[in-house]
Amino acid sequence: MDLGSAKFWYVAARCTDYAGLALFVGGMVFLALLWPAGADSRRARGVLATGWILGFAGTVAGLGLQGAWVAQRPPGDLFDPALLGQVLDSQFGRIWFAKALLWVLGGVVLADVLQRGERAARSAGWRVGAGVVAAGLLRTTGLTGHSAESARPLLSQLADFGHLAGVCAWVGGLAMLLFGVLSRRDPGELASVVPRYSKLALVSVLVVVGAGVVLAAGTLGDPGRLFTSGYGRILLTKLAALAVVLLFAQASKSWVARRLDFAVVLRGDAGAVRPFVYSVAAEATLVVVVLFAASLLVTASPGR
């Protein structure tokens, strides 16, 4: 792919948007369900803020870059008023503009937790607001994917929503665990938060895999296209990267089962926790490959 093409930068914008969505939505789930006290942690709030910045920037840039790509214009024209007007007249543009507005609402949710910390994360009002914004962001993201073009759109879009939700809960929680919980090495937090995240991650992975099978079957139709089409080969790359991520996730799960109690007894000793940190960090790094592959799949034709 030409690094100077609008398509390359559009894929980069989609990848940035996916990363922001995972950090922001998954981070809110983590704080609301697993670690409300983490809302007082500077690093945990930093994960949420980073997610919001990436998501909003990726969505806004994606609007103009999609128009530049379709019109065969250079990527520098992404904010050309005439080009933006054409994009906003399209279905993609209307959906993506609605998503940008949802990110603005997400900024209100973020501001509340930045100001009130744990009190916000434990309040019903914040959780309802965060849930509504998260559901809206997930839904608008799915509306511009291949699931909307499936022969069975309702099933495919439900699977797409579940797939995105599972990825966000898993990946966003992973970032919160790595930069929030593990960096503090507080024995009480390790004992209470890590096992609960391990269970959430297991459920999330099962949802991601199950929904992914439904999406792949609905999008490709013929299993042979998995090996003969460009879309199928990108999907295989994503699956290969996901398989490696799951190997590191299994290593992390094994550490929780065998070594967590030991680490807690040693009061979060750095040497006891370090293998788990390395495994989680490797898992988080490889997720970037999965997100980039997902961005490529959005712009690829399933029949080619």
Side-chain angles (χ1 to χ4, degrees):
M1 193 183 300
D2 182 4
L3 297 184
S5 70
K7 181 179 179 180
F8 172 84
W9 290 107
Y10 174 63
V11 170
R14 291 294 298 238
C15 187
T16 301
D17 176 67
Y18 280 138
L21 185 71
L23 292 177
F24 188 67
V25 173
M28 290 193 298
V29 170
F30 195 92
L31 291 180
L33 301 182
L34 305 182
W35 192 35
D40 286 333
S41 165
R42 179 178 59 83
R43 292 190 177 184
R45 293 198 301 266
V47 170
L48 278 186
T50 300
W52 185 88
I53 292 169
L54 291 177
F56 182 72
T59 298
V60 172
L63 267 172
L65 287 168
Q66 201 270 350
W69 172 37
V70 171
Q72 297 296 299
R73 299 267 294 274
D77 290 345
L78 78 163
F79 292 127
D80 180 85
L83 193 61
L84 282 173
Q86 293 175 12
V87 175
L88 292 174
D89 283 338
S90 67
Q91 182 181 12
F92 171 88
R94 290 189 290 270
I95 293 172
W96 223 236
F97 182 71
K99 186 175 181 179
L101 294 179
L102 283 166
W103 276 116
V104 174
L105 291 177
V108 177
V109 173
L110 173 63
D112 188 29
V113 81
L114 291 179
Q115 291 176 0
R116 297 198 295 137
E118 184 179 357
R119 287 188 298 119
R122 291 188 182 278
S123 67
W126 185 83
R127 292 181 178 184
V128 170
V132 170
V133 169
L137 289 171
L138 293 171
R139 185 71 184 106
T140 50
T141 300
L143 284 173
T144 55
H146 292 303
S147 62
E149 305 164 1
S150 170
R152 304 175 68 181
L154 179 59
L155 177 62
S156 293
Q157 289 179 39
L158 286 174
D160 189 77
F161 187 91
H163 189 73
L164 284 171
V167 168
C168 288
W170 177 24
V171 176
L174 200 65
M176 279 289 186
L177 189 68
L178 180 62
F179 297 108
V181 178
L182 295 180
S183 65
R184 292 156 63 94
R185 298 203 306 274
D186 180 273
E189 291 175 350
L190 289 174
S192 62
V193 179
V194 172
R196 281 185 282 172
Y197 172 71
S198 183
K199 294 176 182 177
L200 175 65
L202 176 61
V203 173
S204 299
V205 168
L206 292 176
V207 171
V208 167
V209 172
V213 169
V214 173
L215 285 170
T219 303
L220 286 172
D222 181 4
R225 290 181 181 172
L226 189 62
F227 303 96
T228 59
S229 66
Y231 183 92
R233 287 189 286 271
I234 296 172
L235 180 56
L236 284 174
T237 301
K238 177 185 174 182
L239 292 175
L242 182 60
V244 177
V245 171
L246 290 177
L247 288 176
F248 281 100
Q250 181 58 38
S252 299
K253 188 174 183 296
S254 298
W255 184 92
V256 172
R258 295 183 293 105
R259 306 287 292 176
L260 178 59
D261 291 342
F262 181 65
V264 171
V265 168
L266 292 180
R267 303 192 62 79
D269 176 72
V273 176
R274 189 175 295 118
F276 185 53
V277 173
Y278 288 162
S279 179
V280 172
E283 189 179 341
T285 302
L286 286 167
V287 163
V288 176
V289 179
V290 177
L291 293 176
F292 186 71
S295 304
L296 285 173
L297 286 172
V298 171
T299 60
S301 172
R304 296 184 178 180

